[in-house]
Amino acid sequence: TQAQQLENSTGGKFKKDDVVSTSRAQGLRHNVSPEAALESVKKLIDEGFGGDIEAAKAVNDAVLTISKSRGIDPRALAGFAASIKGTFKTASAETVSKLLATQIAQGDEGSVTIEQLSQLGGRIVAPASLLAGDDDSRLAQVGALMQATRSGFGSADENATGVGNLINHFATTTDALQKKMFQVQEGKDKGKVLDLGNVMANIYKLTGGDPSKVVSKLKIGASSPEMKAILSQLETYKSAGGGKAGEEAVASNIKGFQEMSSSLEAERDGERKVLQTSGEKWRAAIEGIKNKMLDIMPEVQKLVDSLSQKGPAIASAVTSIAKALVALAAWINDWFGDNDAAQKDITTLDSATGEETTIKQYEIDERARSDAFNP
């Protein structure tokens, strides 16, 4: 049903049979149900990839690898990947997968995990479109600034707000000095926000980390999330001695996260380890049985169609069969059960010979059930 609905929603670009075969193949490869594989690829298509079916299928493979390796909800991760594609329209499947791997590496070193980032989705991807540079570096910068400033916030959600607001502040400023210090001055990226490591260094160059100067010179609210993002680097600035050295330390702290990278191969290694656990082997066995059952679906479909046409007659037959099965179950219970009363020897008089004979109670019960004249 879902496969047909997906074909309909893509205007026939993703055919039902292709949906089913892809979901089954990816489900087997990553040891997830075909339904889970279908749900994540549908998320990718609906929210970012549109008619680019092959790219969505390729990214879904990466999503399921990371999901299995890290224990992350594949739908949430697919939503994050879709938001990347939705923001960076020309990004290839390879680029989107690489950006996911970068965020993983940053989270491993910092304190905002890929699972938290996947929940935030477009909240951290959208600000990246305001930065200068290529797709790879822009999202890496946002992720790096989040990791570097996380300690200044109570939650990852607030952290995302602070970073997003700070980027947006410098992207939309009308102040001549701020434009000069925080935006690209020429070329194809003119008006875009500078590399975020340089942005933070310039903030400290202009204000020395003094909150009152941040308010007066940058017009940033004293209690705003943006101020928290700025002040999160104050200790780094001071520890380096302030001034030029402090500014470089702040920039280096952010660029250190920005330059981290990982690869899908590393995640595949993690996935392979997970797949070797007994729990995953059990899941694989169950999924294998389910897939074998799917192989007989053409015959099952014929049966379903036939049943739907012969419902009333079959219902009557099923009732008769059910009664017979109940009687059989009672007989089996009498014969093999440990019911003392049923196994008890009963002495009766044989009407033909006039002699006493011994018979089991369950035999008497059985004769009574089969006697048409017995009420």
Side-chain angles (χ1 to χ4, degrees):
T1 300
Q2 291 183 48
Q4 184 61 63
Q5 290 169 339
L6 186 54
E7 178 180 324
N8 296 344
S9 69
T10 59
K13 293 186 177 71
F14 202 0
K15 298 297 183 184
K16 181 185 72 173
D17 290 345
D18 188 18
V19 175
V20 172
S21 61
T22 297
S23 300
R24 289 182 64 186
Q26 291 190 331
L28 285 171
R29 187 178 308 123
H30 302 286
N31 203 20
V32 299
S33 70
E35 292 87 353
L38 174 56
E39 286 176 0
S40 59
V41 78
K42 186 176 186 300
K43 188 85 168 174
L44 289 167
I45 291 169
D46 288 348
E47 298 185 11
F49 286 82
D52 195 350
I53 306 300
E54 292 307 311
K57 287 159 62 175
V59 171
N60 198 44
D61 199 57
V63 164
L64 293 174
T65 292
I66 297 167
S67 172
K68 181 63 67 173
S69 174
R70 302 278 172 160
I72 302 171
D73 175 13
R75 275 179 55 83
L77 193 58
F80 184 35
S83 67
I84 294 173
K85 178 65 174 178
T87 300
F88 306 133
K89 305 293 186 185
T90 60
S92 65
E94 183 180 3
T95 296
V96 174
S97 299
K98 180 181 177 182
L99 289 172
L100 290 176
T102 297
Q103 300 301 309
I104 289 170
Q106 291 178 344
D108 286 347
E109 185 65 26
S111 55
V112 186
T113 66
I114 184 64
E115 183 170 17
Q116 290 174 315
L117 291 172
S118 68
Q119 296 294 335
L120 293 168
R123 297 268 309 282
I124 70 164
V125 179
S129 64
L130 303 174
L131 304 177
D134 58 24
D135 294 344
D136 289 11
S137 69
R138 288 191 286 174
L139 188 59
Q141 286 179 58
V142 177
L145 188 57
M146 278 198 67
Q147 300 293 348
T149 60
R150 177 65 183 86
S151 61
F153 296 90
S155 67
D157 184 80
E158 186 185 12
N159 188 189
T161 298
V163 167
N165 287 0
L166 187 64
I167 294 171
N168 188 66
H169 174 84
F170 291 122
T172 59
T173 183
T174 58
D175 182 85
L177 177 61
Q178 290 188 43
K179 284 186 174 184
K180 183 177 180 180
M181 294 190 71
F182 300 105
Q183 293 181 2
V184 176
Q185 297 301 300
E186 57 186 24
K188 66 180 181 64
D189 284 336
K190 183 178 181 180
K192 295 279 189 178
V193 178
L194 292 171
D195 178 279
L196 292 179
N198 293 334
V199 165
M200 292 296 286
N202 284 345
I203 289 173
Y204 276 83
K205 182 177 182 178
L206 190 64
T207 68
D210 183 339
S212 64
K213 291 182 179 179
V214 173
V215 172
S216 62
K217 293 186 176 183
L218 298 180
K219 305 298 186 291
I220 288 176
S223 59
S224 67
E226 302 94 295
M227 179 67 82
K228 289 184 178 181
I230 293 169
L231 296 183
S232 70
Q233 297 303 291
L234 186 57
E235 184 58 36
T236 299
Y237 177 77
K238 289 181 176 179
S239 296
K244 183 69 172 178
E247 296 159 21
E248 291 176 353
V250 169
S252 179
N253 186 31
I254 295 160
K255 289 181 179 180
F257 282 107
Q258 184 180 333
E259 292 167 1
M260 291 173 184
S261 64
S262 182
S263 67
L264 278 180
E265 190 53 46
E267 294 307 307
R268 290 190 186 100
D269 286 340
E271 181 183 38
R272 281 191 282 270
K273 291 176 183 176
V274 171
L275 293 176
Q276 290 304 307
T277 63
S278 58
E280 285 298 315
K281 288 179 180 178
W282 172 256
R283 184 194 297 269
I286 297 301
E287 289 300 328
I289 292 170
K290 287 167 63 178
N291 275 285
K292 287 295 183 184
M293 292 175 69
L294 285 172
D295 289 336
I296 65 170
M297 278 307 295
E299 295 304 316
V300 172
Q301 187 62 54
K302 293 177 185 177
L303 176 61
V304 170
D305 293 341
S306 177
L307 291 177
S308 66
Q309 295 169 8
K310 302 174 182 177
I314 289 173
S316 177
V318 167
T319 301
S320 298
I321 292 171
K323 289 180 178 179
L325 289 173
V326 169
L328 176 62
W331 179 84
I332 290 173
N333 182 65
D334 288 344
W335 185 264
F336 296 103
D338 57 0
N339 188 324
D340 292 338
Q343 299 294 332
K344 185 178 180 180
D345 289 327
I346 304 297
T347 301
T348 64
L349 187 67
D350 190 317
S351 60
T353 65
E355 296 179 358
E356 289 187 347
T357 184
T358 301
I359 188 172
K360 297 289 187 182
Q361 178 64 52
Y362 68 79
E363 292 181 272
I364 296 175
D365 295 339
E366 177 62 25
R367 289 175 185 176
R369 279 195 291 267
S370 62
D371 186 350
F373 298 99
N374 190 317

